[in-house]
């Protein structure tokens, strides 16, 4: 019972955490450092972080829906100031505190005049402030026109979609009752409702599992909307425009559950979720030549490292607001004030990341490596392998200027590389139930149909899981057999100190991979359970094509 109670409290806190946020003042960047950046028209889209929520309490209080307002000191404002000073640029503000990626898909498709535009379903999040949603959606034609004029567009949105998905999943599985939630008033009502939610968990131990399953199902729509929005921006913007998609910072880094302790499991989970979300943006951006992903992991938040739940919850603020008759949702939103949004220094850092990336785009040189990647140097051990996969179109960079050689390769990405080697053949859908994304669904289905992959089970492939070195060897072995190549396995694994840690299913494949130099080991040995990096996968692809016939 204690375990279920802790689980329920963790879920409720995670749901609550994504609501509130406030804080600080404006800063300036040195425009002289960015003289080479040529852009003359800048449009930015996004949510409360993009907009600058928390920097000015008076604006937060008086501009309830904050649609299309340029907030001094936000990273988008700081970028705009540099472009205005250097180039006399025009800046269009198209961000809104509370905006979702689904909102932008909705308004872009209507602004583009598509015949069968996306239809947003009514849910708790949109119904809380329908006038804000309507105000944003009416801007569709205007935002499309601004994007058409712009040679630089930035977008950062999606966290609010996760908020809505969590709450929708909690409602669908019976963990919370949204009607009752909106009707709560008074401290006693809050406590009664918490008891009600916990009681639901006690009566139905499977409710947490169903919540997770429902969330995963609904979350697949977030990726679909991200892909659609980026694709629409590419279609609407001028062909020579640069579109930047920004990830989210490690918002909960350093927060503590208990004062004086290192216990922060809830907040660590939040940041892991942000990492997964950023990977989606990174992968989508890599599909386009003019879309660049910008990582901003180190933006500082309003609440500093070491802040505890007791500090963050602002219990007196919640109690006074709820007691005064405000609904629990609005009371919590205004009272918790968990400072997950960037502070003034955080916005300056984010603006610097955008501007530095734009500087890199202007200074990118292909002379040393023949590639546009700033993180691949001619002296790096992986440079010839990255060049091989780049020149042969097996896989591209994570952005226009980065390859991220040390980033983990997922199982879905790996199979997609093999699919690309085969000319991207069409295939019927495999029986795996977790192929939620279009970009790897056909590739995995093709590989399964040809006996190249088998999955963890008949219905689970795990496309988003990082691929291990022994999984990579096993798949390459099956691919060689599919191609009719030599699959004799006479390699001696005993020379590797960790040979005994190779899983039984992968022993034959690993002996084959070693004998054909497809996998040569590292300074630490075979490392069969270690995650394969993008650089290692590039090396494997070149070795396979050179040694296996």
């Amino acid at each position: 019972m204690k375990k279920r109670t802790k689980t329920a409290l963790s879920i409720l806190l995670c749901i609550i955490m994504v609501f509130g946020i406030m804080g600080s003042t404006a800063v300036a960047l040195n425009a002289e450092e960015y003289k080479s950046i040529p852009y003359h028209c800048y449009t930015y889209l996004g949510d409360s972080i993009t907009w600058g929520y928390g920097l000015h309490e008076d604006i937060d209080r008086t501009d309830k829906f904050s649609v299309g307002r340029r907030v001094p000191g936000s990273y988008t404002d700081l970028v705009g100031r540099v472009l205005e000073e250097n180039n006399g640029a025009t800046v269009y503000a198209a961000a809104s505190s509370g905006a979702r990626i689904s909102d932008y898909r909705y308004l872009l498709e209507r602004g583009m005049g598509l015949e069968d535009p996306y239809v947003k379903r009514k849910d708790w999040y949109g119904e809380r402030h329908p006038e804000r949603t309507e105000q944003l959606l009416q801007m569709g034609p205007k935002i499309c026109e601004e994007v058409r004029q712009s040679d630089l567009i930035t977008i950062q949105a999606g966290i609010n979609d996760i908020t809505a998905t969590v709450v929708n999943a909690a409602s669908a599985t019976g963990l919370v009752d949204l009607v009752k939630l909106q009707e709560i008033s008074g401290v006693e009502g809050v406590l009664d409702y918490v008891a009600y939610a916990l009681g639901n968990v006690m009566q139905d131990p499977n409710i947490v599992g169903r919540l997770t399953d429902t969330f995963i199902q609904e979350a697949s729509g977030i990726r679909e909307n991200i892909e659609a929005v980026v694709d629409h921006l590419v279609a609407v913007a001028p062909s020579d425009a640069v579109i930047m998609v920004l990830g989210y910072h490690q918002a909960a880094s350093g927060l503590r559950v208990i004062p004086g302790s290192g216990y922060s499991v809830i907040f660590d989970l939040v940041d892991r979720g942000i990492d997964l979300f950023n990977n989606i943006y990174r992968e989508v951006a890599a599909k386009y030549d003019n879309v660049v992903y910008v990582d901003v992991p180190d933006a500082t938040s309003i609440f500093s490292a070491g802040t505890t739940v007791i500090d963050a919850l602002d219990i007196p603020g919640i109690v006074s607001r709820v007691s005064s008759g405000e609904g629990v949702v609005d009371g919590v939103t205004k009272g918790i004030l968990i400072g997950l949004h960037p502070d003034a220094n955080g916005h300056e850092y984010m603006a610097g990341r955008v501007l530095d990336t734009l500087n890199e785009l202007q200074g990118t040189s292909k002379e040393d490596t023949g590639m546009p990647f700033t993180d691949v140097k001619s002296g790096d051990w992986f440079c010839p392998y990255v060049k091989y996969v780049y020149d042969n179109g097996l896989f591209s960079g994570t952005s226009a200027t980065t390859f991220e050689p040390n980033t983990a390769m997922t199982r879905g990405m790996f199979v997609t590389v093999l699919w690309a080697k085969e000319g991207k053949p069409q295939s019927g859908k495999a029986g795996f139930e977790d192929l939620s994304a279009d970009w790897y669904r056909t590739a995995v289905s093709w590989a399964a149909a040809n006996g190249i992959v088998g999955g963890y089970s008949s219905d689970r492939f795990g496309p988003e899981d990082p691929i291990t070195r022994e999984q990579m060897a096993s798949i390459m072995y099956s691919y060689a057999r599919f191609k009719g190549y030599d699959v004799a396995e006479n390699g001696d694994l005993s020379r590797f100190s960790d040979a005994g840690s190779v899983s039984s299913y992968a022993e034959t494949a690993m002996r084959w991979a070693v004998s054909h130099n497809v996998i040569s080991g590292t300074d630490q040995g075979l490392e069969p359970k270690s995650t394969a990096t993008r650089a290692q996968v590039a090396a494997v692809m070149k070795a396979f094509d050179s040694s296996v016939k």
Side-chain angles (χ1 to χ4, degrees):
M1 182 175 291
K2 288 183 178 179
K3 185 176 180 181
R4 291 201 298 267
T5 301
K6 288 179 180 178
T7 301
L9 284 171
S10 296
I11 292 171
L12 288 171
L13 183 54
C14 285
I15 292 171
I16 289 172
M17 280 178 61
V18 289
F19 290 125
I21 308 156
M22 297 206 54
S24 205
T25 54
V27 287
L29 293 164
N30 182 5
E32 284 293 322
E33 296 179 13
Y34 305 105
K35 281 285 190 181
S36 65
I37 297 175
Y39 306 102
H40 290 82
C41 189
Y42 170 41
T43 293
Y44 62 85
L45 306 86
D47 54 27
S48 55
I49 293 178
T50 308
W51 185 79
Y53 184 69
L55 293 176
H56 302 279
E57 187 174 354
D58 57 331
I59 297 178
D60 296 335
R61 184 173 58 250
T62 58
D63 192 356
K64 186 174 182 180
F65 304 126
S66 57
V67 177
R69 178 169 183 171
R70 183 172 170 182
V71 175
S74 63
Y75 77 85
T76 44
D77 170 64
L78 297 176
V79 170
R81 288 190 207 177
V82 169
L83 297 178
E84 287 169 333
E85 182 173 338
N86 288 340
N87 308 327
T90 300
V91 179
Y92 293 122
S96 172
S97 182
R100 291 187 275 179
I101 197 73
S102 58
D103 292 330
Y104 283 108
R105 180 178 180 183
Y106 184 99
L107 67 85
L108 283 171
E109 294 193 359
R110 278 152 183 78
M112 294 167 69
L114 298 188
E115 290 184 5
D116 187 22
Y118 170 70
V119 177
K120 279 168 55 70
R121 81 176 195 188
K122 289 187 176 182
D123 62 5
W124 161 85
Y125 191 91
E127 292 300 302
R128 282 182 62 214
H129 295 301
E131 58 269 56
R132 174 184 60 195
T133 303
E134 186 59 32
Q135 189 176 344
L136 178 65
L137 299 183
Q138 287 175 356
M139 295 175 64
K142 178 176 180 290
I143 290 177
C144 279
E145 183 54 37
E146 291 169 350
V147 170
R148 287 189 184 97
Q149 298 176 32
S150 299
D151 48 11
L152 175 64
I153 300 104
T154 62
I155 182 167
Q156 183 186 36
I159 286 294
N160 293 321
D161 297 76
I162 294 180
T163 303
T165 300
V166 170
V167 178
N168 290 340
S171 174
T173 53
L175 180 62
V176 298
D177 184 321
L178 297 180
V179 175
K180 288 183 178 180
L181 190 64
Q182 295 285 8
E183 293 174 349
I184 295 174
S185 64
V187 178
E188 185 177 344
V190 174
L191 297 176
D192 286 345
Y193 191 83
V194 171
Y196 159 80
L198 293 177
N200 288 341
V201 177
M202 304 303 178
Q203 293 174 19
D204 184 0
N206 296 319
I207 199 169
V208 174
R210 293 204 309 276
L211 171 65
T212 302
D213 292 342
T214 303
F215 173 78
I216 291 172
Q217 290 173 3
E218 293 212 4
S220 63
I222 298 177
R223 182 179 189 119
E224 180 183 323
N225 287 337
I226 289 173
E227 292 175 334
V229 166
V230 174
D231 192 64
H232 294 335
L233 288 175
V234 170
V236 173
S239 59
D240 59 348
V242 169
I243 300 169
M244 307 185 89
V245 292
L246 275 77
Y248 285 94
H249 64 299
Q250 295 290 291
S253 181
L255 297 184
R256 294 290 174 259
V257 173
I258 301 172
S261 80
Y263 185 66
S264 58
V265 63
I266 297 172
F267 303 113
D268 291 342
L269 287 173
V270 170
D271 279 341
R272 280 185 214 164
I274 289 173
D275 282 339
L276 291 172
F277 187 79
N278 289 344
N279 281 335
I280 295 175
Y281 262 129
R282 184 182 286 111
E283 291 167 5
V284 172
K287 297 179 182 180
Y288 302 91
D289 291 337
N290 64 329
V291 180
V292 181
Y293 173 78
V294 180
D295 208 10
V296 291
D298 300 323
T300 52
S301 300
I302 292 167
F303 277 145
S304 60
T307 300
T308 68
V309 169
I310 292 175
D311 299 321
L313 286 179
D314 183 25
I315 299 295
I318 296 175
V319 171
S320 64
R321 287 179 172 91
V322 175
S323 298
S324 67
E326 293 191 61
V328 67
V329 173
D330 287 338
V332 166
T333 301
K334 297 173 185 174
I336 291 183
L337 304 181
I338 301 177
L340 301 183
H341 282 69
D343 60 10
N345 290 329
H347 276 279
E348 182 178 21
Y349 161 81
M350 293 171 73
R353 289 287 296 131
V354 170
L355 292 166
D356 288 345
T357 302
L358 292 173
N359 256 350
E360 289 174 5
L361 288 175
Q362 300 311 308
T364 295
S365 172
K366 296 188 178 184
E367 293 179 3
D368 291 338
T369 65
M371 297 178 290
F373 308 127
T374 58
D375 54 358
V376 179
K377 309 301 182 185
S378 57
D380 293 332
W381 71 265
F382 47 77
C383 182
Y385 308 119
V386 173
K387 182 167 175 54
Y388 179 81
V389 296
Y390 174 75
D391 287 347
N392 287 277
L394 298 184
F395 57 103
S396 56
T398 55
S399 76
T401 60
T402 57
F403 184 80
E404 296 190 23
N406 296 316
T407 295
M409 175 74 84
T410 67
R411 287 164 57 84
M413 290 165 62
F414 186 81
V415 173
T416 301
V417 172
L418 294 181
W419 178 64
K421 280 173 66 66
E422 289 300 302
K424 301 182 179 180
Q426 292 300 308
S427 177
K429 189 177 184 301
F432 302 124
E433 296 178 0
D434 57 353
L435 304 182
S436 58
D438 292 337
W439 66 271
Y440 56 64
R441 185 179 298 115
T442 301
V444 174
S445 297
W446 162 81
N450 288 282
I452 298 169
V453 298
Y456 297 130
S457 65
S458 61
D459 60 356
R460 180 169 174 260
F461 179 73
E464 304 288 352
D465 295 348
I467 193 167
T468 64
R469 287 167 56 81
E470 66 180 10
Q471 288 173 356
M472 178 171 62
S474 181
I475 293 174
M476 292 305 295
Y477 176 75
S478 297
Y479 177 67
R481 188 169 51 198
F482 160 75
K483 297 289 289 183
Y485 294 160
D486 178 13
V487 290
E489 73 285 344
N490 53 9
D492 179 15
L493 302 185
S494 62
R495 60 191 173 94
F496 298 101
S497 60
D498 57 352
S501 62
V502 176
S503 299
S504 58
Y505 81 87
E507 285 182 4
T508 298
M510 191 64 85
R511 284 198 300 270
W512 166 84
V514 168
S515 68
H516 287 80
N517 296 315
V518 174
I519 290 180
S520 57
T522 69
D523 292 340
Q524 286 71 45
L526 283 173
E527 294 191 276
K529 303 295 192 297
S530 295
T531 298
T533 65
R534 288 169 56 84
Q536 290 172 347
V537 171
V540 164
M541 291 301 160
K542 188 175 190 303
F544 180 91
D545 288 349
S546 300
S547 306
V548 182
K549 302 296 180 185

